[in-house]
Amino acid sequence: MSLYTIAQASEEVDLTPYTLRYYEKEGLLPNVTKDSGGRRKYHDDDLQRIGFIKCLKGTGMSLKQIKEYGDLYEQGKAKFKERNAMLEEHREKILQEIKTQKKYLKMVEAKIEMKI
Amino acid sequence: MSLYTIAQASEEVDLTPYTLRYYEKEGLLPNVTKDSGGRRKYHDDDLQRIGFIKCLKGTGMSLKQIKEYGDLYEQGKAKFKERNAMLEEHREKILQEIKTQKKYLKMVEAKIEMKI
DNA sequence: CTAACAGTTAAAGTTAACTCTAAGTCAAGA
DNA sequence: TCTTGACTTAGAGTTAACTTTAACTGTTAG
């Protein structure tokens, strides 16, 4: 199957239908189509895109920035450089964040070991 | 030195005075004292505590939960078990989160390498 | 044919975590 | 003494990211 109702897509990507509509309203999902009755139809491409949105969001990128990235993506090859620059910068941020998380992990573990 | 004005404490822990007052209002900093003129005086203990709050917060714990933890902490040895259980659970969460971050890092790197 | 259901929209409401404002106080320097 | 500046408070405002509501519509099972 390669077409999903909002309920099915919601299940598939583990986001509520509210959130999916919200993301679309915010311009993050420009390619979701509608059937003759006006209902959303999600394609595999849309689900892929949502997956990447979740990745960016899960690593601390704001929806606003994710939209910027998506807008560049829509402009194709012409904006490849800018787009990749965003990702490379974000990559650094994730690396930094993992470091910080590891430091915090040590702090929590130290507190656990303190036994007081 | 072991006493800090709110401005100094703010500088020291890299949080705004607004945030420090907010944390106090929320019950996260029960031991901040005031001088004769009613001004806050932060002790080294307070700064340590703020440091740990930042650690918990930075690893995704809500202020509400941090307050719960702090409240248990205030009750000393009697609540040691509960308190440590919270930390151990949180430790698992951090480990899981680091895993997720690493997965997302791979996804971003893959997208960068895609060159399209 | 009709009732139930799954969807639609615009707009209002919610939550967490700040962030700021307004009005006031107090200590210190010219 | 006067003013400046750093603080105080209660309470209002902000922001991001949803989440819900209300009113409505098209599809389908009986």
Side-chain angles (χ1 to χ4, degrees):
Chain A
M1 212 212 304
S2 65
L3 285 183
Y4 305 78
T5 64
I6 197 165
Q8 290 163 340
S10 161
E11 178 82 8
E12 209 66 36
V13 302
D14 196 29
L15 291 175
T16 69
Y18 295 139
T19 304
L20 290 178
R21 290 191 203 99
Y22 173 66
Y23 281 5
E24 195 179 329
K25 187 164 62 179
E26 294 300 304
L28 272 62
L29 300 172
N31 302 321
V32 175
T33 55
K34 306 259 178 95
D35 69 13
S36 58
R39 297 192 186 153
R40 287 171 178 78
K41 281 292 164 193
Y42 293 81
H43 298 247
D44 285 321
D45 281 359
D46 297 316
L47 301 196
Q48 296 269 324
R49 188 168 182 141
I50 295 166
F52 199 58
I53 289 171
K54 286 186 74 172
C55 163
L56 295 177
K57 195 173 164 295
T59 46
M61 192 183 283
S62 69
L63 293 187
K64 190 178 164 184
Q65 267 191 304
I66 294 172
K67 176 171 160 44
E68 277 174 44
Y69 172 78
D71 288 349
L72 291 175
Y73 190 81
E74 289 308 301
Q75 296 175 63
K77 215 171 56 180
K79 299 287 178 160
F80 167 73
K81 262 190 167 179
E82 278 184 65
R83 188 151 37 94
N84 243 31
M86 272 192 84
L87 288 188
E88 304 219 7
E89 196 179 316
H90 191 60
R91 176 176 175 277
E92 293 306 314
K93 193 177 146 188
I94 299 172
L95 284 169
Q96 184 52 59
E97 182 59 19
I98 290 173
K99 266 192 199 168
T100 304
Q101 294 297 310
K102 284 180 176 171
K103 188 189 79 185
Y104 284 155
L105 176 62
K106 294 271 177 240
M107 285 174 69
V108 169
E109 284 174 342
K111 192 69 114 182
I112 289 170
E113 287 314 313
M114 237 181 247
K115 306 254 184 211
I116 285 177
Chain B
M1 211 216 301
S2 66
L3 284 184
Y4 306 78
T5 65
I6 197 165
Q8 289 163 341
S10 161
E11 177 82 8
E12 208 67 33
V13 301
D14 197 30
L15 291 175
T16 69
Y18 293 140
T19 304
L20 290 178
R21 288 192 203 100
Y22 172 68
Y23 281 4
E24 196 178 329
K25 187 162 60 178
E26 293 300 304
L28 272 62
L29 301 172
N31 302 320
V32 175
T33 55
K34 307 261 178 95
D35 68 12
S36 59
R39 295 192 185 154
R40 287 172 178 79
K41 280 293 164 192
Y42 293 82
H43 299 249
D44 284 321
D45 282 0
D46 297 317
L47 301 196
Q48 295 270 322
R49 188 171 182 137
I50 295 165
F52 198 58
I53 289 171
K54 287 186 73 172
C55 162
L56 294 177
K57 194 173 165 296
T59 47
M61 193 182 283
S62 69
L63 294 187
K64 191 178 163 183
Q65 267 192 304
I66 295 171
K67 176 171 160 42
E68 277 174 43
Y69 173 79
D71 288 349
L72 291 174
Y73 191 81
E74 290 308 301
Q75 296 176 61
K77 214 172 56 182
K79 300 288 179 162
F80 167 73
K81 260 189 167 178
E82 277 183 65
R83 188 153 35 93
N84 242 33
M86 272 192 84
L87 288 189
E88 302 219 10
E89 196 179 315
H90 191 59
R91 176 176 175 276
E92 291 307 314
K93 194 177 146 187
I94 299 172
L95 283 168
Q96 184 51 60
E97 182 60 19
I98 290 173
K99 264 192 201 168
T100 304
Q101 294 298 308
K102 284 180 177 172
K103 189 189 79 185
Y104 284 156
L105 176 63
K106 294 270 176 242
M107 285 174 69
V108 169
E109 284 174 341
K111 192 70 114 180
I112 289 170
E113 288 314 314
M114 237 182 250
K115 307 251 185 215
I116 284 176

